[in-house]
Amino acid sequence: MSSTNGEIGIKDLTDKATYDRLEKDVTAVKNDISALTDQITDVLNSFAGTAKKQARRGYKQARANVDAAVDDMSERGGAMMDAAQDAAHSIEETLEDVIVQRPLATVGLAIGLGFLIGATWRR
């Protein structure tokens, strides 16, 4: 039985008013389903757009945090380098002062250290 035969069978079983009302109801249900499909599509598109914006915002924030951390580490590294250079300069000045004030003691210390190093390498 084809759909046309089914429609004819329904027409035969019901009166014209009932058939027209059923046809309007089916059309209304089809339109409602179509409208609901459009609404679901709009909501999903909106959700995808919002998720994309949040992902971009999160990426930008993470990048800013990394940049700030790198800048901070660079500043700390520079400060540590300056401190190390100052310490080396201070040690150099102290050694110069000791050598100028006690030249014989310095030469004796150098000879003693040379002897210890030579004796250690011999063994």
Side-chain angles (χ1 to χ4, degrees):
M1 179 183 246
S2 70
S3 64
T4 307
N5 289 339
E7 289 174 3
I8 294 171
I10 291 175
K11 282 184 181 180
D12 290 342
L13 294 175
T14 60
D15 60 348
K16 178 75 172 154
T18 305
Y19 178 76
D20 289 340
R21 191 177 70 232
L22 286 176
E23 190 173 334
K24 287 180 185 178
D25 288 345
V26 169
T27 303
V29 168
K30 285 181 182 179
N31 291 337
D32 289 345
I33 289 173
S34 176
L36 184 60
T37 301
D38 291 342
Q39 287 177 351
I40 289 172
T41 301
D42 290 343
V43 167
L44 289 177
N45 288 337
S46 174
F47 177 73
T50 302
K52 188 176 180 180
K53 286 178 186 176
Q54 287 179 347
R56 282 184 183 163
R57 198 175 308 130
Y59 170 75
K60 287 180 182 179
Q61 182 64 37
R63 186 170 181 174
N65 288 345
V66 168
D67 288 345
V70 167
D71 289 344
D72 186 46
M73 293 302 282
S74 177
E75 288 176 14
R76 287 183 184 181
M80 289 175 65
M81 185 64 134
D82 290 343
Q85 287 176 345
D86 289 343
H89 185 68
S90 175
I91 289 171
E92 179 185 356
E93 287 178 355
T94 303
L95 284 176
E96 283 181 20
D97 290 343
V98 168
I99 291 171
V100 169
Q101 291 174 0
R102 299 182 187 149
L104 293 178
T106 305
V107 171
L109 181 64
I111 291 172
L113 285 173
F115 178 76
L116 287 174
I117 291 172
T120 304
W121 276 0
R122 239 189 247 170
R123 292 183 185 177

